[in-house]
Amino acid sequence: MPLHNHPQRHALHNEIHARPPEAITAPLAIAQVVMLADPAERDASRAHLAELLRNHHLPPPGGETNHLRVDLGAFRLRWELHTEFVSYTFMRPLSGDPFGEQGCATALEVVPRDWLEGLPGQNISSMHLWVLTSSAFGTQSLVQRGVLQDDTLVASTVADGHGEVYTDFAIHADGFSRMVLLVGSAAPRRLGRLVQQLTEIETYRMAALLALPVAREATAALGGAERELALLAGAIRTASRSEEPQLLDRLTRLAGQVESQYAATHSRFSASSAYFDLVNRRIVDIAETRLAGMQTIREFMQRRLSPAVSTCEWAVRRQQSLSERVSRISNLLRTRVEIEQQVASQELLATMNTRQDVQLKLQSTVEGLSVAAITYYIVGLVAYMAKGAEKLGWPVAPEMTAALAIPLVAFGVWWSLRRLHHKLFTH
C-alpha cells in the first residue's frame, strides 16, 4: 500500500531482533571477553574485527554494524558493540574430555594470539564456559579436577530442570572466570538463550560494579563537604553583617563542588543501576532451582552483590541530600542578606526624606530672600521711573512712589513664585 512510512520504522521494528541468541549444541567450549571502550576504542574494535575477517578472506563489517556472527572455520565469533563496552564471544566444538591432564580445553586455543592481545580497550570480564552433555562432571568431579574452587562453588538447576550450572565466581590463574553448564535434551535455540543469559549475568555484574570505586571516592569527598557545610551552618548563626558576604561565597563554592561531583558521577551511577536490574532479570530468566546443599546464583548475588548495590545507592542519596541541604542553607543566608539590605534601604530612604525636608525648608528660605531681592530691584526701577515722571508732571514724589510700590511689588513677586511653584509640582 502507498503509505508514508516513518523514516525509523524498519530500524525500530528490527530492534526486537537485535542480538538474537545463537542456536548451539553441546559439547561446546565458549570464551567471552568484554572490553571497556571509549568511542574511539569502539571504532577501533570494528577495524580490529575487519582485520581478522580479512585474514580469513571475509568481507569487513559495515560502518553501522554493531552486531556480527561469523564462522571462521576453527571457531565461531560473536561480536557485539554496546554503549560502554565491546564483547567478543568465541565458540568451538569439543571432542573427548575437556578437562584432561593437559589442562582445560578452551575456545581461545584456536584464536590468533596476536590478534587477541591487540583487542582495543580494557578488559573488565573474561570467562570460559563449557557446555557439556555428560552428567559425569558433577560437583565433586569439577572440584577434584581443579576446574572450580570448592570454597566459593555455586550451583543450581536451570531452564526448569533441563540443565545444571556450576561456577565459583573466581578469576583463575589464566585471568578468566569459569562456568560449566551440563545439559540434557534442551533444544538448540533454548540452549543458545540460556548460554547468552549466563554470559550476560557475568558481563552486567562486572559493568554494574564499575560504580563501586566511584561510590567510594564520592563518599570520601562527601564526608569533607558535609563537615564544611556543618561549619558554615554554625558560622551563619553567629555571623555579623560584615561576615555574610564571605560566608555566602564559601557556600557558593561548596554548592559548585557538590554539583560538579554529582554531574561527574550521575551517569556512572545511573548506568550501574540499569546494569544491576539487568543482572536480576537474567537471573530470573534462567529459572534456577536449588541443588541439594548448594548455594544458588541468586543467593550468591544477593549476599555478595547487594552490599555494592547499597553502597552506590547510598552515595547517590547522600549526594542528593547534601545538594538539597546546601541549597536550603544558601537560600536562608540569601534571605537574611536580602532582609538586611531591605532594612538598609529603608534607613537610606528615611535619611533621604529628612534631607528633602531640610532642602524644602532651605528652599522656602531662599524663596523669601528671592522675593526681597526681586522686590528691591523692581522698586529701584520704579524709583527711576518716578524721577523721570516727576519732570513730566507726576504729582507724587519719587521716594513716596517707591515706598507705595514696595508692598505691591512684593505681593506680586510672591504670588508669581507661588504660582510657578504650584505649576511645577502639580504636573
Side-chain angles (χ1 to χ4, degrees):
M1 296 178 64
L3 299 178
H4 182 66
N5 287 325
H6 188 278
Q8 297 294 324
R9 179 194 173 189
H10 292 287
L12 296 174
H13 177 271
N14 293 332
E15 185 63 26
I16 62 173
H17 303 293
R19 300 182 176 90
E22 186 173 356
I24 62 175
T25 56
L28 193 71
I30 300 173
Q32 185 184 56
V33 178
V34 180
M35 304 296 291
L36 188 67
D38 57 27
E41 289 170 335
R42 290 198 295 273
D43 292 337
S45 69
R46 185 181 286 107
H48 196 65
L49 174 64
E51 177 186 349
L52 178 65
L53 297 180
R54 281 195 301 268
N55 293 339
H56 287 79
H57 308 289
L58 295 174
E64 299 299 326
T65 302
N66 56 19
H67 172 263
L68 181 67
R69 291 185 298 183
V70 60
D71 190 343
L72 299 175
F75 64 95
R76 295 200 309 276
L77 170 64
R78 180 187 179 100
W79 175 83
E80 297 181 21
L81 186 66
H82 296 263
T83 303
E84 293 188 297
F85 55 84
V86 184
S87 66
Y88 304 81
T89 304
F90 308 92
M91 294 174 281
R92 77 178 180 100
L94 291 173
S95 60
D97 186 357
F99 310 126
E101 296 180 356
Q102 302 298 326
C104 299
T106 68
L108 295 184
E109 294 175 358
V110 293
V111 179
R113 182 168 297 275
D114 56 345
W115 181 86
L116 189 63
E117 292 176 351
L119 292 179
Q122 296 177 317
N123 179 230
I124 60 168
S125 175
S126 299
M127 183 177 70
H128 289 305
L129 171 62
W130 292 273
V131 183
L132 307 174
T133 57
S134 175
S135 59
F137 301 102
T139 304
Q140 296 302 321
S141 176
L142 293 173
V143 172
Q144 291 172 359
R145 293 189 178 206
V147 179
L148 300 174
Q149 299 177 4
D150 185 36
D151 53 348
T152 57
L153 187 63
V154 175
S156 61
T157 61
V158 293
D160 298 323
H162 287 83
E164 297 179 0
V165 61
Y166 298 85
T167 184
D168 55 9
F169 290 105
I171 298 178
H172 292 257
D174 58 356
F176 282 69
S177 59
R178 295 178 178 180
M179 185 178 292
V180 178
L181 176 61
L182 305 179
V183 294
S185 58
R189 286 288 179 185
R190 184 171 187 179
L191 183 57
R193 287 195 299 272
L194 179 58
V195 167
Q196 183 173 342
Q197 291 159 358
L198 290 172
T199 56
E200 287 179 349
I201 289 175
E202 180 68 9
T203 299
Y204 293 139
R205 176 180 74 92
M206 294 301 298
L209 288 173
L210 287 173
L212 185 58
V214 178
R216 289 169 177 167
E217 293 178 2
T219 299
L222 287 170
E226 288 171 342
R227 288 190 294 271
E228 174 68 10
L229 182 61
L231 292 174
L232 284 170
I236 290 172
R237 294 170 55 191
T238 58
S240 62
R241 182 180 300 181
S242 61
E243 295 173 335
E244 289 174 352
Q246 182 181 2
L247 292 175
L248 187 59
D249 180 68
R250 288 174 61 186
L251 262 176
T252 303
R253 292 178 182 273
L254 181 61
Q257 175 186 342
V258 172
E259 293 302 323
S260 175
Q261 184 192 53
Y262 181 80
T265 59
H266 177 69
S267 60
R268 180 71 269 155
F269 289 143
S270 298
S272 292
S273 177
Y275 289 138
F276 284 131
D277 290 340
L278 287 172
V279 171
N280 293 328
R281 291 179 187 177
R282 295 300 179 267
I283 293 175
V284 172
D285 292 341
I286 63 176
E288 67 171 346
T289 55
R290 181 184 300 278
L291 278 174
M294 300 301 298
Q295 183 178 203
T296 65
I297 295 177
R298 176 187 291 276
E299 291 172 341
F300 180 87
M301 290 297 181
Q302 288 178 345
R303 291 181 56 190
R304 304 297 179 89
L305 200 60
S306 294
V309 176
S310 299
T311 299
C312 296
E313 292 177 348
W314 175 237
V316 173
R317 288 196 297 269
R318 284 185 68 185
Q319 284 182 334
Q320 295 174 345
S321 175
L322 181 60
S323 177
E324 293 172 357
R325 288 159 55 197
V326 170
S327 179
R328 286 199 302 268
I329 293 179
S330 298
N331 291 335
L332 289 174
L333 182 57
R334 288 190 179 94
T335 301
R336 176 175 167 178
V337 171
E338 289 174 358
I339 292 174
E340 292 179 351
Q341 288 178 345
Q342 291 176 0
V343 172
S345 299
Q346 291 176 355
E347 293 175 353
L348 179 61
L349 289 174
T351 303
M352 292 176 64
N353 290 334
T354 303
R355 291 179 180 177
Q356 286 180 351
D357 291 340
V358 173
Q359 289 177 353
L360 288 174
K361 293 178 180 179
L362 291 174
Q363 184 178 356
S364 299
T365 304
V366 171
E367 285 180 358
L369 296 175
S370 298
V371 169
I374 296 172
T375 301
Y376 173 79
Y377 286 112
I378 293 177
V379 170
L381 293 175
V382 171
Y384 280 114
M385 292 175 63
K387 289 179 181 180
E390 184 181 12
K391 295 179 180 182
L392 298 175
W394 178 256
V396 182
E399 292 79 5
M400 183 61 67
T401 301
L404 294 173
I406 288 175
L408 297 175
V409 171
F411 176 77
V413 171
W414 174 83
W415 182 80
S416 298
L417 289 176
R418 293 295 299 174
R419 186 177 178 83
L420 178 62
H421 185 271
H422 179 74
K423 287 183 178 182
L424 290 176
F425 290 98
T426 57
H427 293 284

